[in-house]
């Protein structure tokens, strides 16, 4: 493999892995001997130092890792302490509402209410720490049950689930009729 391409491949691997990677494994991947890989890694380390870049290579035993240079830690801390801003789309809010009012609830139950797959929405809500896995349903396949978290309560300014607004029975019936007509329209298509 051409030297510059080998550097790019090694850099991509180290960046993607995040953790240290054994030099033997790197040699296998780029189909070079261990000494050649060490030479390439040394060249890369020198380039990172010369160019005053934010990253560098750290060697640990017989492994190497792409790391942030120590002098930039204060900036990393600033960005890490910045509160995350969540964008809750209509789909996420709808899914979150179903979970909040029907918890504990399975994905299948959420999908029955929504009429569409909810995998992406559930995964995003888990990532945002607004919902969590609260157990498994005692049924075939033992599906996961989801419920809201303390972060959900903080984010929406409620002290407990009892503080959630009451659902209007008339609106619930309207929503059911609307959902049924949407399902029927999809079946007609």
């Amino acid at each position: 493999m051409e030297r510059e391409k080998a550097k790019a491949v090694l850099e991509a691997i180290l960046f993607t892995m995040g953790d240290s990677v054994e030099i033997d494994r790197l040699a296998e991947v780029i189909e070079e001997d261990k000494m050649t890989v060490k030479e390439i890694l040394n060249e890369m380390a020198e380039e990172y130092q010369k160019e005053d870049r934010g990253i560098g290579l750290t060697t640990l035993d017989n492994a190497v890792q792409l790391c942030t240079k120590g002098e930039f830690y204060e900036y990393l801390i600033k960005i890490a302490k910045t509160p995350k801003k969540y964008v809750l789309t209509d789909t996420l809010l709808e899914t979150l509402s179903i979970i909040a009012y029907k918890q504990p609830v399975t994905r299948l139950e959420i999908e029955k209410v929504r009429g569409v797959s909810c995998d992406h929405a559930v995964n995003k809500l888990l990532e945002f720490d607004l919902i969590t896995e609260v157990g498994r349903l005692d049924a075939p396949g033992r599906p996961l049950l989801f419920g809201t978290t303390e972060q959900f309560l903080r984010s929406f300014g409620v002290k407990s689930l009892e503080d959630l607004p009451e659902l209007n029975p008339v609106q619930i019936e309207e929503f059911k009729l609307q959902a049924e007509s949407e399902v029927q329209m999809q079946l007609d298509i």
Side-chain angles (χ1 to χ4, degrees):
M1 181 180 293
E2 165 190 329
R3 197 114 169 147
E4 291 305 311
K5 182 172 181 177
K7 284 181 188 178
V9 169
L10 292 175
E11 185 177 55
I13 291 169
L14 294 171
F15 175 79
T16 303
M17 296 304 291
D19 291 327
S20 63
V21 180
E22 293 175 356
I23 294 173
D24 293 337
R25 288 185 61 203
L26 293 172
E28 286 175 30
V29 170
I30 66 167
E31 299 174 349
E32 293 286 349
D33 61 88
K34 194 172 170 181
M35 284 306 296
T36 303
V37 171
K38 283 184 176 182
E39 289 172 11
I40 295 170
L41 290 170
N42 286 335
E43 287 175 24
M44 290 170 64
E46 287 175 21
E47 289 172 13
Y48 289 136
Q49 287 302 319
K50 266 195 286 187
E51 297 176 16
D52 195 29
R53 298 181 53 184
I55 56 175
L57 287 179
T58 301
T59 303
L60 311 160
D61 288 331
N62 192 27
V64 67
Q65 182 173 0
L66 196 59
C67 296
T68 306
K69 290 182 180 175
E71 62 260 29
F72 299 113
Y73 285 166
E74 68 180 273
Y75 301 103
L76 296 173
I77 290 168
K78 284 180 185 177
I79 195 77
K81 285 186 175 180
T82 304
K84 294 179 182 174
K85 292 185 180 179
Y86 306 120
V87 176
L88 294 178
T89 62
D90 290 344
T91 300
L92 293 179
L93 282 171
E94 186 177 300
T95 304
L96 183 58
S97 299
I98 294 165
I99 295 168
Y101 282 99
K102 295 182 74 68
Q103 63 185 306
V105 63
T106 65
R107 284 181 198 256
L108 184 61
E109 291 170 317
I110 298 166
E111 289 172 357
K112 280 184 184 176
V113 174
R114 289 202 61 238
V116 294
S117 174
C118 67
D119 288 340
H120 174 73
V122 168
N123 290 337
K124 273 299 195 195
L125 293 170
L126 284 166
E127 179 184 323
F128 293 162
D129 192 33
L130 294 173
I131 66 169
T132 188
E133 297 172 3
V134 295
R136 291 190 173 271
L137 185 64
D138 189 19
R142 307 227 348 112
L144 289 169
L145 292 167
F146 297 97
T148 55
T149 63
E150 286 182 2
Q151 180 62 37
F152 164 79
L153 297 175
R154 276 192 293 278
S155 297
F156 288 90
V158 293
K159 293 184 183 350
S160 72
L161 295 175
E162 287 77 38
D163 293 342
L164 289 175
E166 290 286 323
L167 294 176
N168 181 336
V170 174
Q171 279 184 317
I172 293 173
E173 201 53 44
E174 288 175 11
F175 291 150
K176 282 183 183 176
L177 292 172
Q178 183 181 2
E180 287 172 3
S181 68
E182 286 177 9
V183 168
Q184 187 58 43
M185 286 183 357
Q186 289 177 349
L187 292 175
D188 291 343
I189 294 177

